[in-house]
Amino acid sequence: MNASASADPGVARRWYVLLVLTLVYALSIADRFVMSTLIEPIKGDLGLSDSSIGFLTGSSLAFFYVIAGLPLATLADRTNRRTMIALALGAWSVMTTLCGFARNYWQLLLTRIGVGVGEAGGTPPSASLLSDYFAPRRRALALSVFSVGASLGSMLGSSAGYASDAWGWRAAFYVLGVPGVAVALLVAFTIREPERGRLDDTPVIARTTLKDTLRFTRAQPALLHTWIGATVYTLWSWGLMWWTPSFLVRSHHMVLGDAGGALALMHGIGGTAVLLVTMLLMGPLGKRDPRLVPLFVAACIAIGTVPSIVAYRVASTRTALLMLWLFVPLSYAPFGPTFALLQNLVP
């Protein structure tokens, strides 16, 4: 490792890297959420059933994301993370653009699998890279800012309804895919690869296996509980939100642009506000008692569960939207703390 890579990059450089990687994360989420928003026009144009749509937009993406995620995360521990992020972003952006050219179910399925595989190479090296730019005591703050990419990306993906209403559903994929290639070049040429583990007291483990990782996890109850909790949380929050645009169109007879626009504001404004408040609270809570951090996350999820049930049960569109304004933003509270817990619990 050369001296420039191991030297302190400075505050401005650290925050530049954080903001660029937050943009990368936003594009990742946007490319996922665009499918959720466009379910109805894609279903109508290609003549698909809800089961086919469910596999196309959820199961296939998740399955290949996980399958590719393990070897790609292992690769992120051994190779240049900056280059890996740039290549992954470029790949999934190209595949997102190709979704707009798909003429049948199988073509769209293959391109969505490509998006999932590409995105699997984005988040693991990004979180690892940020952990070498920000010290452990600043990591919760940095990863909370990084998590804002989720709300901004969801807003972009939900806004695809406007593009679909104006130019057709295929145009929405072009609008999101092409800029990703430009950002990939930005990552490749403006971000430096830092020395691994330079800000941690624990020595860097040069080589490890999946078996070693699972054995370590089994011996760390806090890490195991964080994984399990994050899985259940994601099933609740993103599982419900995935079909919410279609729910508003079918059950409340909203046009796609209006449904996506309403959800875009909930993600972009409400979600970002919750992420920022969470970011401000993490420092004081962690200093007072580290146990307060997971308790805060649990409280946000518990409170958000009530409106998440009511929103899909009421006949009133106004009440449903009001409940979604509570449920959707609160679902963002676990992002930053969970990322930080995982990074700090694993050597």
Side-chain angles (χ1 to χ4, degrees), residues 25 28-29 32 58-72 112-113 115-124:
Y25 188 39
S28 170
I29 298 298
R32 291 180 225 175
S59 302
S60 62
L61 183 86
F63 178 75
F64 286 95
Y65 185 96
V66 172
I67 292 298
L70 292 174
L72 287 175
R112 291 311 292 174
I113 289 174
V115 171
V117 172
E119 289 181 352
T123 304

XYZ file of all heavy atoms in Angstrom, residues 25 28-29 32 58-72 112-113 115-124:
224
model
N -25.501 4.409 -3.749
C -26.530 3.645 -3.037
C -27.921 4.088 -3.470
O -28.827 3.256 -3.643
C -26.343 3.837 -1.531
C -27.210 2.965 -0.660
C -27.463 1.642 -0.987
C -27.770 3.463 0.516
C -28.253 0.835 -0.181
C -28.562 2.672 1.328
C -28.800 1.367 0.975
O -29.592 0.578 1.782
N -28.772 2.502 -6.672
C -29.066 1.084 -6.451
C -30.517 0.891 -6.024
O -31.241 0.041 -6.561
C -28.116 0.516 -5.392
O -28.511 -0.772 -4.985
N -30.949 1.681 -5.049
C -32.324 1.564 -4.557
C -33.315 2.014 -5.621
O -34.385 1.408 -5.797
C -32.492 2.401 -3.274
C -31.563 1.885 -2.171
C -33.947 2.353 -2.796
C -31.819 0.470 -1.732
N -34.042 -0.602 -8.097
C -34.920 -1.649 -7.570
C -36.362 -1.154 -7.505
O -37.304 -1.848 -7.891
C -34.476 -2.063 -6.169
C -33.160 -2.795 -6.112
C -32.801 -3.156 -4.689
N -31.407 -2.866 -4.392
C -30.878 -3.005 -3.196
N -31.624 -3.399 -2.186
N -29.604 -2.741 -2.983
N -39.397 -9.492 -7.439
C -38.954 -9.749 -6.076
C -38.058 -10.957 -5.949
O -36.859 -10.844 -5.691
N -38.627 -12.136 -6.155
C -37.908 -13.388 -5.888
C -36.642 -13.540 -6.718
O -35.584 -13.889 -6.194
C -38.841 -14.584 -6.139
O -39.987 -14.491 -5.325
N -36.755 -13.291 -8.036
C -35.583 -13.486 -8.898
C -34.468 -12.522 -8.532
O -33.301 -12.908 -8.437
C -35.975 -13.300 -10.369
O -36.435 -11.983 -10.605
N -34.833 -11.261 -8.310
C -33.826 -10.259 -7.951
C -33.158 -10.627 -6.635
O -31.926 -10.627 -6.516
C -34.468 -8.885 -7.847
C -33.504 -7.739 -7.553
C -32.893 -7.221 -8.857
C -34.187 -6.598 -6.828
N -33.971 -10.971 -5.624
C -33.429 -11.280 -4.301
C -32.573 -12.542 -4.335
O -31.497 -12.601 -3.727
C -34.572 -11.443 -3.304
N -33.047 -13.567 -5.047
C -32.325 -14.836 -5.093
C -30.935 -14.649 -5.686
O -29.924 -15.067 -5.101
C -33.114 -15.862 -5.918
C -32.428 -17.186 -6.066
C -32.389 -18.077 -5.001
C -31.819 -17.546 -7.257
C -31.751 -19.310 -5.128
C -31.180 -18.769 -7.391
C -31.154 -19.646 -6.324
N -30.855 -14.007 -6.824
C -29.555 -13.840 -7.470
C -28.713 -12.780 -6.767
O -27.482 -12.832 -6.813
C -29.742 -13.505 -8.954
C -30.163 -14.689 -9.770
C -31.499 -14.926 -10.046
C -29.225 -15.590 -10.223
C -31.892 -16.027 -10.785
C -29.613 -16.704 -10.965
C -30.952 -16.923 -11.242
N -29.370 -11.823 -6.097
C -28.639 -10.838 -5.298
C -27.896 -11.548 -4.168
O -26.726 -11.268 -3.905
C -29.633 -9.823 -4.735
C -29.010 -8.673 -3.970
C -28.766 -7.451 -4.599
C -28.679 -8.782 -2.629
C -28.204 -6.384 -3.917
C -28.120 -7.731 -1.926
C -27.883 -6.524 -2.582
O -27.331 -5.479 -1.890
N -28.578 -12.480 -3.505
C -27.960 -13.216 -2.403
C -26.898 -14.186 -2.922
O -25.798 -14.281 -2.374
C -29.033 -13.983 -1.595
C -28.374 -14.908 -0.576
C -29.969 -13.006 -0.896
N -27.234 -14.915 -3.989
C -26.292 -15.884 -4.557
C -24.993 -15.191 -4.981
O -23.883 -15.669 -4.724
C -26.913 -16.620 -5.756
C -28.065 -17.527 -5.281
C -25.864 -17.445 -6.495
C -27.647 -18.619 -4.325
N -25.138 -14.036 -5.640
C -23.957 -13.303 -6.083
C -23.313 -12.541 -4.934
O -22.107 -12.292 -4.942
C -24.335 -12.335 -7.204
N -24.118 -12.177 -3.935
C -23.623 -11.334 -2.850
C -22.523 -11.965 -2.033
O -21.559 -11.294 -1.632
N -22.612 -13.261 -1.767
C -21.602 -13.933 -0.940
C -20.220 -13.935 -1.599
O -19.241 -13.494 -0.990
C -22.060 -15.348 -0.592
C -23.265 -15.421 0.363
C -23.720 -16.865 0.527
C -22.898 -14.841 1.730
N -20.094 -14.416 -2.838
C -18.755 -14.375 -3.455
C -18.271 -12.953 -3.736
O -17.073 -12.677 -3.636
C -18.939 -15.164 -4.768
C -20.403 -15.154 -5.027
C -21.063 -15.136 -3.686
N -19.196 -12.033 -4.062
C -18.781 -10.657 -4.336
C -18.335 -9.955 -3.056
O -17.400 -9.147 -3.074
C -19.916 -9.886 -5.003
C -20.193 -10.244 -6.470
C -21.413 -9.495 -6.993
C -18.968 -9.944 -7.338
N -33.400 -8.227 -15.251
C -33.556 -7.961 -13.808
C -32.595 -8.819 -12.996
O -32.088 -8.384 -11.959
C -34.996 -8.224 -13.362
C -36.009 -7.243 -13.892
C -35.591 -5.805 -13.703
N -35.566 -5.405 -12.286
C -35.126 -4.225 -11.863
N -34.653 -3.345 -12.712
N -35.144 -3.932 -10.579
N -32.338 -10.039 -13.449
C -31.318 -10.863 -12.787
C -29.961 -10.167 -12.894
O -29.192 -10.118 -11.928
C -31.263 -12.270 -13.413
C -32.534 -13.059 -13.032
C -30.011 -13.019 -12.952
C -32.637 -14.408 -13.724
N -29.457 -6.970 -13.096
C -29.481 -5.848 -12.154
C -29.160 -6.343 -10.745
O -28.358 -5.737 -10.023
C -30.852 -5.143 -12.177
C -30.953 -4.118 -11.041
C -31.076 -4.447 -13.509
N -29.774 -7.452 -10.347
C -29.550 -7.991 -9.007
C -28.110 -8.404 -8.775
O -27.525 -8.100 -7.728
N -27.520 -9.073 -9.758
C -26.126 -9.506 -9.631
C -25.209 -8.288 -9.545
O -24.279 -8.242 -8.730
C -25.727 -10.401 -10.814
C -24.226 -10.690 -10.805
C -26.512 -11.710 -10.768
N -25.474 -7.274 -10.372
C -24.656 -6.071 -10.344
C -24.754 -5.340 -9.019
O -23.744 -4.920 -8.442
N -25.975 -5.192 -8.503
C -26.169 -4.463 -7.253
C -25.546 -5.182 -6.061
O -25.196 -4.546 -5.061
C -27.658 -4.226 -7.012
C -28.258 -3.204 -7.972
C -29.729 -2.948 -7.713
O -30.324 -3.668 -6.881
O -30.284 -2.034 -8.346
N -25.407 -6.495 -6.165
C -24.775 -7.252 -5.082
C -23.323 -6.840 -4.885
O -22.754 -7.047 -3.807
C -24.862 -8.751 -5.377
N -22.722 -6.242 -5.904
C -21.338 -5.808 -5.790
C -21.186 -4.356 -5.395
O -20.078 -3.827 -5.435
N -22.284 -3.706 -4.980
C -22.233 -2.299 -4.637
C -22.171 -1.989 -3.156
O -21.234 -1.328 -2.683
N -23.125 -2.486 -2.390
C -23.233 -2.104 -0.982
C -22.127 -2.676 -0.087
O -21.570 -1.939 0.732
C -24.610 -2.502 -0.422
O -25.626 -1.905 -1.235
C -24.783 -2.004 1.005
N -21.770 -3.974 -0.182
C -20.707 -4.488 0.706
C -19.392 -3.724 0.597
O -18.846 -3.299 1.624
C -20.573 -5.956 0.278
C -21.910 -6.307 -0.295
C -22.372 -5.063 -0.990
